[in-house]
Structure formats: structure tokens, C-alpha cells
């Protein structure tokens, strides 16, 4: 009976040859060392199969580890978080507990970013004093120093820093990819002389190639956000004007992707003041650009006919419908006479302002109206009232309510309660008042790295 064929393993043809269909040689046929007729020993099928299964198990383990680590890396949303995850995963793969990752793109457009693992700011600063190759292109793809204390030819400053920080060995990889190009490098440090084995080096090389592409995407996203932020800052007032009888303060917390909310305070003829807040639909750089155009137009209309807020918003609605037919916008414009503390305002789909004082804390009732661009012709009646001495008018955008995560009616109640809880010192200072309201209403807002809503809060206090 012939011997059975060895099975294939996981769909891979087994490299183990099928044994010959012959009987084992007799004692007389067995070869002896030095015998010219000697034959090589018969292969051991069981041993070879075991070795193949061990190699396959090792590959499966490595692929599982790589899948888990890249999955965690893909979950990072900022460049610094991704670099920290890269250092943690790399430290696990090469057996190091400290590391350093630096991003310095080849196009020199920045931003340069340095992140450490198990290293404080002082240690990172010390490492920056180690001389690097004059040309970034000269940085090797892989660099291993197995014994920094005794390795010949090592730069004296390199050896000095290693001794000061307690590094005995290091392993470095250049972060580069086919589409991303050269982004920077990652470096891990050992407390004792050591180096990663060939298998670990191969695995971390695969991981870093994937990480480089992910870092390149996050870098491009950071640059886009920086462009949007710069554009937004240029389109909004750098400072609020000084108007006798009125003290003002504003806080703007932009959305991560760039939102279209604006604020403005504009001195008008005869000592009047125009206040406006609003926002256009959409997000990103196009929404920011549309916001800039709309705000600039509103300023022009306010100078020409600011005493009639309804006319100002009607003109703005016509402009939006003709030039931005795919967008809508909410807006609130107030014409203020500081001497008499008379306020005339109109709103288009916007939240009502809040008047805060010692005798009252209440919303100013404005007529319900659609946002600009939603109707073929917009017009709503204005509201006029007088503020008392010491009262503050709070104008805000709906992002302030949305970021609370509550239903609209509850968010309005929370905003009212936040203003009511302000101490007297805060009510006397508009800057302190807006800070108190934001901190009370959105206590954890600054910990949110990717807010989806703009927040504008403008306060005008009448002396």
C-alpha cells in the first residue's frame, strides 16, 4: 500500500516532498560515511511539517499583531495622537520603553512636530542638541546603535547625551512612503545594550510604512485646518471698537472643520453702534469664505441704513439669494444708541438675545422668521427696547445651544440659568460674564478636540 500524501496547510502547497513509494533500505543497503555510493538520508516528513506549521503560526501571530496595531493607529484623529500611538506600538514591537518621533516634511511647509514616549520636555530639548546629518536626505532608512557607550566612531555629543539620559542602545527608522515622501523619523531607546531581532525589524518596518501614509493624511488635514483658521481670523474683527457708554467682549470657539459663524461691532454715524451675529450653512473653507462675503456686505448695508435693521437684513437676504443661491444664513442685527441705551433689532431665523441685569434676566422677544435665503422675499418686524444702566446684552449663535447636547428648550433654560448664576463682579465686567457663561454652560468643551459647531458669544454692557 502506498504512503499517504501530506496535506496542504492553509491553502499553501506544502514544501515537503512526497516520500518515495519504496520500502526502507535494508541494513546492507544503508550507506556509511565515506562510502562513494552513499545516499543522502531520507527526509523527515513529520519534522518538516512541524517546522512549516510553526512558521505559519508565527506569520499568523505577526499578521494579527500588525492588524491590531494598525487598527488602533487608524483610530487616531490628530497628528500628535498618531505619533504617540506610533511610539507606543513601536516600543511594544522592538521592546523599548522610551522613544521619540519627529515630523519634518520634505516640502518644508511644516508644521514641525516632536512627540516623546517616556520623555519629558527637558529630555526632548536635550535630544535636539544631538547633531544630525547636514542634509535630511542623508538620514538612513534604518539606524541601529547596539552599544552607545562603547560604539567606535560615534559623535561625542551623541555619546554624552546618551550617558546623561541613560540610553545604552537605540533603533531608528525613517518615516517615508511612496506617496507621502519623507515625513520624519521615529527613534526608540534601550536601557541596556540591545537590538531588535530580524523578525521584529521586519514587522515594525511594515507598521511604519502604513503609519507614514496615515500621518501624511493627518498632516494634510492639519494644514487645511490651519488655512481655514487663518482665513477665519482675517475675516473677523481683530478687536472690538471703543464706544463711549458701552463695554464689549466676545468669545469665538470655532468648529474643527471651519464653520461660518460671525460677529461684528461697527461704529455708525451720529455715535450709534451696530452689533451683529450670524452664520451661514455648511462648513469648511467655502463656508468661511461665504461668511466673509456676507459679513462685509452687512457692514456696508449697516452704514447706509443701520437705523432700520429690517432693511439691512432684507438687503442681505436679496444679496444672498442672488450670489449664494445654494446657501442659507441666520443673522441678527441690532442698532444701538449708547447715549439713550435704545436698541432696535431684527433677526432672521436667529436665537433671541438675552438681557442680563440686576433687576431682570430675560430673553428679548423677537418675531419668528425664516433664515435668509429660505424664502423668495424676507421681511419681519423689528423689536425696540431700552436697556437699563448696568445691564448687558448677550448675542450668540446657535452653536452655543447645540454644543450642550440638550434639546433646544432645555438649552435655552440652561443658558438663562448660567447667566443668572453669574456673581456681581462678573455682571459688571462683560469679559468675565462671557467666560462665566461659557464655563458654566460648556464645562468640558475645551476637551473636545473636534467640535462640530461654531460658538460665538458677544456681550455689550451699558454703563
Amino acid at each position: 500500500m502506498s504512503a499517504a500524501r501530506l496535506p496542504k496547510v492553509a491553502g499553501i502547497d506544502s514544501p515537503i516532498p512526497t516520500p518515495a513509494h519504496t520500502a526502507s533500505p535494508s541494513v546492507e543497503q544503508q550507506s556509511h560515511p565515506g562510502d562513494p555510493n552513499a545516499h543522502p538520508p531520507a527526509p523527515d516528513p513529520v519534522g518538516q511539517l512541524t517546522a512549516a506549521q510553526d512558521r505559519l503560526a508565527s506569520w499568523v501571530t505577526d499578521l494579527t499583531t500588525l492588524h491590531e496595531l494598525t487598527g488602533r493607529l487608524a483610530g487616531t484623529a490628530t497628528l500628535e495622537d498618531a505619533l504617540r500611538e506610533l511610539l507606543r506600538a513601536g516600543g511594544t514591537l522592538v521592546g523599548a520603553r522610551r522613544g521619540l518621533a519627529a515630523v519634518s516634511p520634505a516640502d518644508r511647509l511644516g508644521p514641525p512636530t516632536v512627540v516623546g514616549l517616556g520623555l519629558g520636555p527637558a529630555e526632548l530639548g536635550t535630544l535636539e542638541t544631538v547633531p544630525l546629518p547636514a542634509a535630511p536626505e542623508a538620514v538612513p532608512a534604518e539606524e541601529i546603535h547596539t552599544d552607545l557607550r562603547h560604539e567606535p566612531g560615534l559623535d561625542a555629543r551623541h555619546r554624552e547625551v546618551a550617558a546623561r539620559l541613560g540610553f545604552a542602545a537605540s533603533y531608528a527608522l525613517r518615516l517615508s512612503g511612496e506617496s507621502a515622501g519623507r515625513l520624519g523619523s521615529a527613534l526608540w531607546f534601550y536601557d541596556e545594550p540591545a537590538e531588535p531581532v530580524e523578525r521584529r525589524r521586519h514587522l515594525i518596518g511594515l507598521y511604519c510604512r502604513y503609519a507614514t501614509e496615515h500621518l501624511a493624511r493627518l498632516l494634510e488635514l492639519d494644514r487645511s485646518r490651519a488655512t481655514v483658521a487663518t482665513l477665519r481670523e482675517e475675516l473677523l474683527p481683530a478687536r472690538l471698537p471703543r464706544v463711549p457708554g458701552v463695554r464689549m467682549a466676545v468669545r469665538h470657539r470655532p468648529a474643527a472643520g471651519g464653520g461660518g459663524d460671525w460677529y461684528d461691532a461697527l461704529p455708525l454715524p451720529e455715535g450709534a453702534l451696530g452689533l451683529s451675529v450670524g452664520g451661514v450653512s455648511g462648513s469648511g473653507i467655502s463656508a468661511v469664505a461665504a461668511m466673509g462675503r456676507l459679513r462685509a456686505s452687512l457692514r456696508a448695508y449697516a452704514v447706509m441704513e443701520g437705523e432700520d435693521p429690517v432693511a439691512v437684513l432684507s438687503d442681505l437676504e436679496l444679496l444672498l439669494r442672488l450670489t449664494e443661491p445654494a446657501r442659507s444664513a441666520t443673522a441678527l442685527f441690532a442698532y444701538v444708541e449708547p447715549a439713550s441705551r435704545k436698541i432696535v433689532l431684527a433677526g432672521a431665523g436667529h436665537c433671541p438675545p438675552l438681557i442680563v441685569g440686576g433687576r431682570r434676566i430675560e430673553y428679548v422677544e423677537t418675531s419668528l422668521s425664516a433664515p435668509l435665503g429660505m424664502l423668495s422675499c424676507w421681511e419681519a418686524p423689528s423689536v425696540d427696547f431700552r436697556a437699563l444702566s448696568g445691564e448687558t446684552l448677550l448675542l450668540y449663535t446657535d452653536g452655543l445651544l447645540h454644543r450642550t447636547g440638550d434639546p433646544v428648550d432645555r438649552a435655552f433654560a440652561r443658558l438663562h440659568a448660567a447667566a443668572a448664576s453669574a456673581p456681581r463682579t462678573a455682571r459688571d465686567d462683560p469679559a468675565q460674564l462671557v467666560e462665566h457663561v461659557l464655563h458654566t454652560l460648556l464645562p468640558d468643551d475645551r476637551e473636545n478636540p473636534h467640535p462640530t459647531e461654531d460658538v460665538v458669544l458677544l456681550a455689550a454692557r451699558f454703563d
Side-chain angles (χ1 to χ4, degrees):
M1 183 175 63
S2 60
R5 292 177 59 88
L6 293 175
K8 295 182 179 181
V9 179
I12 303 175
D13 289 333
S14 173
I16 305 170
T18 303
H21 298 280
T22 58
S24 299
S26 61
V27 176
E28 290 80 3
Q29 294 174 326
Q30 292 180 2
S31 59
H32 300 277
D35 186 350
N37 297 320
H39 298 285
D44 179 9
V46 175
Q48 290 184 346
L49 180 59
T50 300
Q53 289 175 334
D54 288 344
R55 287 195 300 271
L56 182 60
S58 176
W59 295 339
V60 171
T61 300
D62 288 348
L63 288 175
T64 301
T65 301
L66 194 62
H67 176 74
E68 180 182 350
L69 295 179
T70 54
R72 285 164 50 183
L73 180 67
T76 58
T78 66
L79 187 61
E80 290 193 3
D81 287 345
L83 289 173
R84 291 190 182 94
E85 180 57 35
L86 165 67
L87 289 175
R88 283 193 293 266
T92 300
L93 292 175
V94 302
R97 65 182 185 88
R98 290 186 286 181
L100 167 69
V103 170
S104 182
D107 58 15
R108 303 181 186 276
L109 297 179
T113 306
V114 178
V115 172
L117 172 68
L119 299 172
E123 293 170 313
L124 290 175
T126 302
L127 285 169
E128 290 179 352
T129 66
V130 176
L132 297 174
E137 297 78 10
V139 177
E142 183 183 57
E143 188 172 2
I144 305 174
H145 296 288
T146 59
D147 192 347
L148 293 170
R149 297 187 181 94
H150 305 99
E151 181 177 324
L154 194 65
D155 182 90
R157 180 58 183 169
H158 196 160
R159 198 186 308 276
E160 177 187 349
V161 169
R164 179 184 303 180
L165 300 183
F167 301 147
S170 65
Y171 177 71
L173 281 177
R174 186 172 61 197
L175 300 176
S176 61
E178 294 182 3
S179 60
R182 182 183 55 80
L183 290 185
S185 57
L187 181 63
W188 290 271
F189 303 104
Y190 298 90
D191 298 334
E192 300 294 337
E195 67 175 300
V197 298
E198 181 66 26
R199 173 188 168 194
R200 293 292 182 175
R201 289 166 55 188
H202 175 69
L203 195 59
I204 197 173
L206 294 175
Y207 176 79
C208 283
R209 280 196 288 274
Y210 172 85
T212 300
E213 300 300 327
H214 182 64
L215 291 171
R217 292 190 290 270
L218 293 178
L219 178 63
E220 188 64 28
L221 183 59
D222 275 5
R223 288 176 174 178
S224 299
R225 288 172 177 167
T227 300
V228 171
T230 301
L231 178 61
R232 182 175 54 238
E233 290 173 2
E234 293 296 325
L235 293 176
L236 292 175
R239 62 182 62 87
L240 297 176
R242 293 184 177 181
V243 177
V246 181
R247 287 184 291 154
M248 292 177 286
V250 66
R251 294 295 182 270
H252 181 204
R253 293 186 182 178
D261 286 8
W262 83 80
Y263 62 90
D264 207 350
L266 177 66
L268 297 175
E270 301 180 359
L273 173 67
L275 299 175
S276 72
V277 293
V280 301
S281 59
S283 62
I285 195 168
S286 63
V288 174
M291 174 271 290
R293 294 190 292 268
L294 209 62
R295 173 182 165 270
S297 301
L298 190 148
R299 290 172 68 91
Y301 298 144
V303 170
M304 293 186 294
E305 48 192 2
E307 69 278 0
D308 185 357
V310 172
V312 171
L313 294 185
S314 296
D315 292 342
L316 194 65
E317 194 277 337
L318 177 61
L319 177 73
L320 181 68
R321 184 156 42 89
L322 294 176
T323 61
E324 307 274 352
R327 293 191 185 276
S328 63
T330 65
L332 187 146
F333 178 73
Y335 180 79
V336 180
E337 297 176 0
S340 62
R341 298 189 294 277
K342 179 182 178 181
I343 303 170
V344 183
L345 61 86
H350 205 80
C351 305
L354 184 66
I355 190 78
V356 180
R359 297 182 180 179
R360 60 175 175 171
I361 300 175
E362 59 188 27
Y363 288 102
V364 179
E365 294 186 5
T366 56
S367 58
L368 295 176
S369 63
L372 303 176
M374 297 293 288
L375 301 177
S376 58
C377 182
W378 178 92
E379 186 169 335
S382 61
V383 176
D384 63 278
F385 63 98
R386 291 184 185 274
L388 301 177
S389 178
E391 289 187 331
T392 301
L393 182 67
L394 288 180
L395 310 179
Y396 54 94
T397 58
D398 56 7
L400 180 65
L401 305 177
H402 293 164
R403 280 208 201 179
T404 64
D406 293 328
V408 174
D409 54 348
R410 178 169 172 75
F412 275 122
R414 288 186 58 188
L415 174 58
H416 186 281
S421 66
R424 177 176 294 276
T425 55
R427 296 188 189 184
D428 292 340
D429 185 343
Q432 291 187 34
L433 181 60
V434 292
E435 285 292 344
H436 172 83
V437 170
L438 286 175
H439 179 73
T440 305
L441 201 62
L442 309 173
D444 302 322
D445 188 64
R446 292 191 180 277
E447 298 178 5
N448 181 6
H450 305 291
T452 58
E453 297 277 352
D454 271 11
V455 169
V456 168
L457 182 58
L458 174 64
R461 185 183 189 279
F462 298 92
D463 295 329

